[in-house]
Amino acid sequence: MGSTCVRIAIDAMGGDHAPGEIVAGALRAKEELGVKVLLVGDPQQIEAALPPKTNLEQVEIVPAEEAIAMDEEPLNAVRRKRKASINVAMDLVKHQKADAVFSAGHSGAAMASALLRLGRLPGIDRPAIGTVFPTIIAGKPVLILDVGANVDCRPKFLEQFAVMGSIYSQYVLGTPEPKIGLLNIGEEDTKGNEVALRAHQLLRENSQITFTGNAEGRDVLSGQFDVIVCDGFVGNVLLKFAEAVGEVILQILREELPQGLHGQIGTAILKPNLKRVKQRMDHAEHGGALLLGVDGVCFIGHGSSQAPSIFNAIRMAKESVDNQVLQRLRSQYEILQQESS
Amino acid sequence: MGSTCVRIAIDAMGGDHAPGEIVAGALRAKEELGVKVLLVGDPQQIEAALPPKTNLEQVEIVPAEEAIAMDEEPLNAVRRKRKASINVAMDLVKHQKADAVFSAGHSGAAMASALLRLGRLPGIDRPAIGTVFPTIIAGKPVLILDVGANVDCRPKFLEQFAVMGSIYSQYVLGTPEPKIGLLNIGEEDTKGNEVALRAHQLLRENSQITFTGNAEGRDVLSGQFDVIVCDGFVGNVLLKFAEAVGEVILQILREELPQGLHGQIGTAILKPNLKRVKQRMDHAEHGGALLLGVDGVCFIGHGSSQAPSIFNAIRMAKESVDNQVLQRLRSQYEILQQESS
């Protein structure tokens, strides 16, 4: 295609607000980040979602006949609907017509499609879903993985997550020497279930990463860790709890602050400051989740994603490509192979 | 002892603020709740912590020669220090000189002491630690268990937690028909790891409880569930995360709200309302954690507990005794035995 700018394949049919918000986020990313966007899906619906005077330079519509619904069983759906938008988008990456893929659709389907079409990176048993949480320190996020791909993890999977997370944190999130933590129920080395105990040992012995020990639930948002690894069961519970707790607290603020006349006056005065509070708590500001361990740059967004989240996820995808995350993950494996041979 | 009021054995030496705050919380409980408090520990230190004109009616000091420090290995410490305050307090319950025990000391030691001195309830394989979270619905808390006693749980342990939690929720928290949830990574029956899948089935088939299905991380604070069961690993991570997240958000509020002149004015006006926000988010308002499954009423508090938390935990302990939680748990087992014979 001769393009030197980063090309992002976007599943325009995935998500609760598809294609409208997806297209809007993609167009903003094209304008502000200079990426080329490949909008994959039903051309008619995508065209209808484009604002009338859209500059179509750097925008390509790639037709896909089908889409996978949120309630479909992912592996079956991905196999049966070969021309589904998520599959077509993955194929663009596979055939080097795109550098990264983004979908806010069925995340299980995105995972299955990535595995089937792109395969795993060498040395990785199981890909993980990583997501970035804000911490108490402004501008210092923490990457948590896995947040849902693998409900039962062997210790070595957690070790692989740590190595991948470390590279991502360093080259995309810009952490000079990422501090890696193992999510656990106590600080002491002897704490935890069997998987955690063994994983602790593997992480301690791994020279590719800076392992700083166990991270308890209270440490997740402390900013002391740059990457925290856990199995997909606890990670998923934590992610969904964290997303909800922000909402719960905003709700409590909305209920309690405006009470009484002084409450109404005070709340009105504080409006801009409260907006900043909301922003700092907002998970969407930090982009989507990423699939680490498949042989391609894949980002997935919340089903409820709107244009700003889409934009942020595309930004992260571009930065992953710019910073050669995939190449670095591959070469990390080669170094390991050489060391062990 | 001939007393008809509820007698609470209190480990006066346990916790970061022992004995001062422990004694203060206990005395308030004595005054306001009409309980008898048995303060267990070093008599000299306890007496020094009593305010000069304390009415010593309904207060008894029970000497204990030793105390268990926070960094001791619990089982060893409990066995070695036979006269430790937590052991003496447990013995008061064992010998029916007290109706319940409270400690803000080493929670592992309290657990070990309870198991060794009081034993398990019939039909219970593993006791669990339960704790009450506030939800988005004011006045409608949710009981989560286990939050740390058992890092690896078999499905039937989770089922036992559900039955115990249901009784506690009904008779102490006053929920007419407690809705039980299983912490999991999806709403669908087919989601989760192996333990969750099997536990789901057991809960579904159990006629003693009202099982309403899987609870995701986002449902924990929704108020839709009255009791949520999980293994002690994920429960502990969740508990510690939840405790910290409140702090993080209060910190963000403290940083952002008073910014600028309008921020300072607005924050000053809103002071009483912000205090209510803090209260609704405050875990301490809801008392300590409880040990469910040991043959005695045992409450444990955070190491950092101060008088208000101690008071609340004693209140919950009294309500547990008043409402015959232990007897109900025992008879539940007898019903089961009869049904299966």
Side-chain angles (χ1 to χ4, degrees):
Chain A
M1 294 166 80
S3 163
T4 54
C5 72
V6 174
R7 302 156 304 174
I8 317 275
I10 293 157
D11 175 7
M13 312 312 286
D16 306 341
H17 306 288
E21 291 290 321
I22 313 294
V23 168
L27 290 179
R28 189 182 145 203
K30 185 206 72 154
E31 290 300 329
E32 295 184 26
L33 309 172
V35 295
K36 171 166 184 172
V37 293
L38 299 116
L39 301 169
V40 184
D42 175 10
Q44 233 176 326
Q45 285 190 53
I46 295 173
E47 275 163 26
L50 290 170
K53 286 179 185 165
T54 306
N55 169 7
L56 288 176
E57 212 181 316
Q58 298 294 68
V59 177
E60 192 178 322
I61 297 175
V62 181
E65 290 165 17
E66 296 173 291
I68 292 174
M70 287 305 215
D71 58 355
E72 292 191 74
E73 198 285 311
L75 199 58
N76 276 340
V78 164
R79 284 197 169 126
R80 213 180 57 247
K81 295 184 170 176
R82 294 185 51 223
K83 295 287 173 64
S85 53
I86 184 69
N87 281 335
V88 173
M90 288 292 170
D91 279 340
L92 289 171
V93 173
K94 185 181 177 183
H95 299 124
Q96 291 166 23
K97 289 181 175 156
D99 304 299
V101 64
F102 170 77
S103 174
H106 192 316
S107 62
M111 178 94 187
S113 180
L115 273 169
L116 290 175
R117 312 245 154 185
L118 308 176
R120 283 168 296 152
L121 280 172
I124 300 301
D125 287 292
R126 298 280 186 89
I129 301 174
T131 193
V132 169
F133 284 35
T135 72
I136 198 164
I137 301 169
K140 193 172 189 309
V142 58
L143 174 68
I144 316 280
L145 72 170
D146 175 29
V147 296
N150 310 284
V151 291
D152 288 299
C153 278
R154 287 198 230 158
K156 71 168 177 175
F157 301 169
L158 295 172
E159 186 189 13
Q160 292 165 8
F161 299 168
V163 173
M164 295 194 290
S166 184
I167 289 174
Y168 185 84
S169 178
Q170 185 171 354
Y171 294 103
V172 181
L173 303 176
T175 320
E177 192 184 325
K179 294 197 182 72
I180 315 292
L182 171 68
L183 193 62
N184 207 335
I185 62 165
E187 284 176 10
E188 307 85 350
D189 295 10
T190 54
K191 285 280 180 141
N193 55 20
E194 277 177 47
V195 172
L197 287 170
R198 180 76 189 113
H200 186 102
Q201 215 173 339
L202 291 177
L203 291 167
R204 180 79 62 222
E205 289 162 5
N206 189 309
S207 61
Q208 297 169 289
I209 56 166
T210 306
F211 179 56
T212 42
N214 291 340
E216 294 185 74
R218 72 168 64 95
D219 303 318
V220 172
L221 305 182
S222 70
Q224 289 168 39
F225 294 90
D226 302 299
V227 179
I228 295 178
V229 295
C230 56
D231 74 53
F233 191 95
V234 59
N236 186 271
V237 166
L238 198 62
L239 169 65
K240 288 178 180 163
F241 182 82
E243 286 177 351
V245 87
E247 269 312 300
V248 168
I249 286 163
L250 289 175
Q251 174 71 22
I252 291 177
L253 288 172
R254 272 191 293 265
E255 279 177 28
E256 298 294 346
L257 289 191
Q259 289 211 7
L261 184 59
H262 70 282
Q264 285 174 27
I265 296 167
T267 307
I269 295 174
L270 280 182
K271 210 172 168 189
N273 298 24
L274 284 165
K275 204 175 160 188
R276 278 207 308 279
V277 169
K278 191 168 180 292
Q279 271 170 353
R280 276 185 65 180
M281 284 167 51
D282 195 352
H283 193 252
E285 301 273 326
H286 296 267
L290 65 148
L291 274 181
L292 268 169
V294 292
D295 198 1
V297 175
C298 299
F299 277 75
I300 52 185
H302 229 281
S304 62
S305 295
Q306 303 206 350
S309 311
I310 312 289
F311 169 80
N312 279 315
I314 295 174
R315 185 169 52 75
M316 301 295 263
K318 176 185 185 293
E319 283 169 23
S320 299
V321 175
D322 284 344
N323 293 293
Q324 304 184 290
V325 165
L326 214 57
Q327 292 81 342
R328 291 180 199 279
L329 289 169
R330 277 201 210 99
S331 63
Q332 198 76 11
Y333 172 72
E334 281 158 19
I335 293 166
L336 265 187
Q337 288 292 91
Q338 283 162 9
E339 277 178 4
S340 65
S341 68
Chain B
M1 291 164 81
S3 163
T4 54
C5 72
V6 174
R7 304 155 303 172
I8 318 275
I10 291 157
D11 174 8
M13 311 313 285
D16 306 341
H17 307 289
E21 290 289 322
I22 314 293
V23 169
L27 291 180
R28 189 182 144 202
K30 183 205 75 155
E31 290 299 328
E32 294 184 27
L33 308 174
V35 295
K36 170 163 186 173
V37 292
L38 299 118
L39 301 169
V40 183
D42 175 11
Q44 232 174 326
Q45 285 188 54
I46 294 172
E47 274 163 26
L50 290 170
K53 287 183 184 161
T54 305
N55 169 8
L56 288 176
E57 210 180 318
Q58 298 293 72
V59 177
E60 190 176 326
I61 296 175
V62 182
E65 290 164 17
E66 297 174 291
I68 292 175
M70 286 305 214
D71 58 354
E72 292 191 75
E73 199 284 311
L75 199 59
N76 276 340
V78 164
R79 284 197 169 126
R80 212 181 57 248
K81 295 183 169 177
R82 293 185 52 224
K83 293 287 173 64
S85 53
I86 185 69
N87 280 334
V88 174
M90 288 291 169
D91 279 341
L92 289 171
V93 173
K94 185 181 177 180
H95 299 126
Q96 290 165 22
K97 289 182 176 158
D99 304 298
V101 63
F102 170 78
S103 174
H106 193 317
S107 61
M111 178 94 187
S113 180
L115 272 169
L116 290 174
R117 312 245 153 185
L118 308 176
R120 282 169 296 152
L121 281 172
I124 300 300
D125 287 291
R126 299 280 186 89
I129 300 175
T131 190
V132 170
F133 284 35
T135 71
I136 197 164
I137 302 169
K140 193 172 190 310
V142 57
L143 174 67
I144 315 281
L145 71 168
D146 174 29
V147 295
N150 311 283
V151 291
D152 288 298
C153 277
R154 287 199 229 158
K156 71 168 177 176
F157 300 170
L158 295 172
E159 187 189 11
Q160 291 164 8
F161 299 168
V163 173
M164 293 193 290
S166 184
I167 289 173
Y168 185 83
S169 178
Q170 184 173 354
Y171 294 103
V172 181
L173 302 176
T175 320
E177 191 185 326
K179 293 196 183 73
I180 315 292
L182 171 69
L183 193 62
N184 207 335
I185 62 164
E187 285 176 9
E188 307 84 349
D189 294 11
T190 54
K191 286 278 180 144
N193 55 20
E194 277 177 47
V195 172
L197 286 171
R198 180 77 189 114
H200 186 100
Q201 216 174 339
L202 291 176
L203 291 167
R204 179 79 63 222
E205 289 162 6
N206 191 308
S207 61
Q208 296 170 289
I209 56 167
T210 304
F211 179 56
T212 42
N214 291 339
E216 294 186 74
R218 71 169 66 97
D219 303 319
V220 172
L221 305 182
S222 70
Q224 289 168 39
F225 293 90
D226 302 299
V227 179
I228 294 177
V229 295
C230 56
D231 73 54
F233 191 95
V234 58
N236 186 271
V237 167
L238 198 62
L239 170 65
K240 288 178 180 163
F241 182 82
E243 286 176 351
V245 87
E247 269 312 302
V248 168
I249 286 164
L250 289 174
Q251 173 71 21
I252 291 176
L253 288 173
R254 273 192 292 265
E255 280 176 29
E256 298 294 346
L257 288 191
Q259 288 210 7
L261 183 59
H262 69 282
Q264 285 175 28
I265 296 167
T267 308
I269 294 173
L270 280 183
K271 210 172 168 189
N273 297 27
L274 284 165
K275 204 175 161 189
R276 278 207 308 277
V277 169
K278 191 167 180 292
Q279 272 170 352
R280 277 186 62 180
M281 284 165 53
D282 195 353
H283 195 252
E285 300 274 327
H286 296 267
L290 66 148
L291 274 181
L292 268 170
V294 294
D295 199 3
V297 176
C298 298
F299 277 74
I300 52 186
H302 229 281
S304 61
S305 295
Q306 302 205 352
S309 310
I310 312 286
F311 170 79
N312 278 316
I314 296 174
R315 184 170 52 75
M316 301 296 265
K318 176 185 185 292
E319 284 170 22
S320 299
V321 175
D322 283 343
N323 293 290
Q324 305 184 291
V325 165
L326 214 57
Q327 292 80 340
R328 291 181 197 279
L329 289 169
R330 276 202 210 100
S331 62
Q332 198 75 9
Y333 172 72
E334 282 158 18
I335 292 168
L336 264 186
Q337 289 290 92
Q338 283 162 7
E339 278 179 3
S340 65
S341 67

